[in-house]
Amino acid sequence: MNKVIISLAPVAASTPIDADALALDVKKSVESGAAMCHLHCRRPDGSLTADTGFMVECFEKILAETDVLVQASTGGVSDLTIEERCTPLDYVKVESASLNGGSTNLGEAVYKNSFEDIRYCAKAVYDKKTIPEIEVFDIGMIHNIEMTAKEYPFRDPIIYNLVFGHKGGMQPTVESLAAFRSFVPANAKWGVTHFGRDNWNFLAAAIAMGASIVRIGFEDSAYLAPGKSASMNFELVERLAHLIRAIGFETATPDEAREIMNTLK
């Protein structure tokens, strides 16, 4: 049976974080079908920082409750340098990390990821024996990674996260998904993020088309149903897990996710 990894990104940008409440929410999310937890390096007030102290505190409290696969972000629109963005890789329990495939507009902001940045992050990720999930916001970024992989050979499988829904980027339509998906190399795995999600149709289409990873959580949207927002992330995971099973697939456990992503060091 096909296994789909539910990746939980539980913290909305620039919102205060209660580490204890976050750990409880992630625990319930794993019990509901999530396998991976994606966190940015933030201060308690939600702002991005190069100081990993609070991120480590959050993950330690989460891991005291559940054996979720730990994924750290090296991204986010900020004034941080690429070296500062990669400090989360110093946390020894990080198993996967985001690797951004190029520059794009995110709303009114410009999200800068030069080739120099991509090469630096790729080397930093692999030096820490961590598996990258490659964030791509348009088709050309897949080509960027293919060129970078000639200089820094990537471990199989290469994993692309196709990101839709940001102002200035690819929009979450089935037509855009089909076009984007057609450029993913045959030997790679892929997943999706739908920022600003206001329905479940796009995620259903991605699962049916073979997505290995589907991201859900307050970082992208709290939408649960028409006129209703989730109060905790696990409600979103429950809904997504139900959708995955309705299509005829199953949710991956954290250990199954590690095997699928080849994160085992």
Side-chain angles (χ1 to χ4, degrees):
M1 179 179 290
N2 286 357
K3 298 280 187 174
V4 179
I5 298 168
I6 295 180
S7 174
L8 176 65
V11 178
S14 302
T15 59
I17 304 165
D18 181 319
D20 292 314
L22 176 62
L24 178 60
D25 198 0
V26 175
K27 176 187 178 183
K28 290 184 175 181
S29 296
V30 173
E31 292 170 348
S32 299
M36 179 161 64
C37 181
H38 170 95
L39 291 183
H40 288 257
C41 192
R42 299 187 185 277
R43 301 179 182 90
D45 67 3
S47 60
L48 293 170
T49 177
D51 183 346
T52 62
F54 186 62
M55 183 200 75
V56 170
E57 178 185 341
C58 288
F59 270 129
E60 287 295 318
K61 289 187 175 184
I62 289 168
L63 292 173
E65 299 289 344
T66 185
D67 184 31
V68 71
L69 193 159
V70 172
Q71 184 179 76
S73 174
T74 64
V77 177
S78 70
D79 294 329
L80 297 176
T81 65
I82 189 61
E83 293 83 3
E84 291 172 325
R85 284 166 48 185
C86 286
T87 57
L89 299 173
D90 293 334
Y91 177 42
V92 296
K93 295 182 182 179
V94 169
E95 300 171 81
S96 175
S98 62
L99 168 60
N100 294 278
S103 300
T104 188
N105 292 337
L106 290 184
E108 298 298 323
V110 177
Y111 187 25
K112 177 181 171 294
N113 292 284
S114 66
F115 273 108
E116 182 179 358
D117 293 340
I118 297 169
R119 286 191 289 265
Y120 181 93
C121 189
K123 184 176 186 303
V125 167
Y126 281 114
D127 282 351
K128 296 294 184 180
K129 296 182 173 59
T130 302
I131 296 301
E133 183 183 58
I134 301 161
E135 316 289 322
V136 286
F137 297 80
D138 65 51
I139 290 169
M141 292 187 190
I142 294 176
H143 181 58
N144 294 349
I145 296 301
E146 289 179 328
M147 289 191 290
T148 304
K150 293 177 182 178
E151 301 176 54
Y152 299 99
F154 286 25
R155 244 170 75 184
D156 290 331
I158 292 179
I159 304 166
Y160 289 100
N161 177 18
L162 314 184
V163 183
F164 296 81
H166 285 278
K167 179 182 177 181
M170 295 281 284
Q171 294 308 296
T173 66
V174 174
E175 293 81 7
S176 293
L177 176 60
F180 211 158
R181 168 67 185 88
S182 71
F183 282 87
V184 175
N187 61 340
K189 293 187 181 297
W190 64 279
V192 291
T193 291
H194 179 181
F195 180 81
R197 180 179 46 79
D198 61 1
N199 63 73
W200 294 86
N201 301 343
F202 180 80
L203 295 187
I207 296 163
M209 290 173 62
S212 296
I213 305 173
V214 179
R215 196 169 99 175
I216 202 79
F218 288 171
E219 182 175 329
D220 303 311
S221 171
Y223 174 87
L224 186 62
K228 185 177 181 180
S229 295
S231 59
M232 294 184 71
N233 282 277
F234 79 85
E235 299 172 85
L236 301 175
V237 175
E238 285 180 339
R239 180 76 187 268
L240 179 56
H242 177 76
L243 181 58
I244 289 169
R245 294 178 184 123
I247 291 174
F249 300 153
E250 191 51 79
T251 58
T253 66
D255 280 342
E256 288 170 337
R258 291 180 177 98
E259 184 175 352
I260 292 167
M261 295 177 67
N262 194 21
T263 65
L264 301 175
K265 298 181 180 180

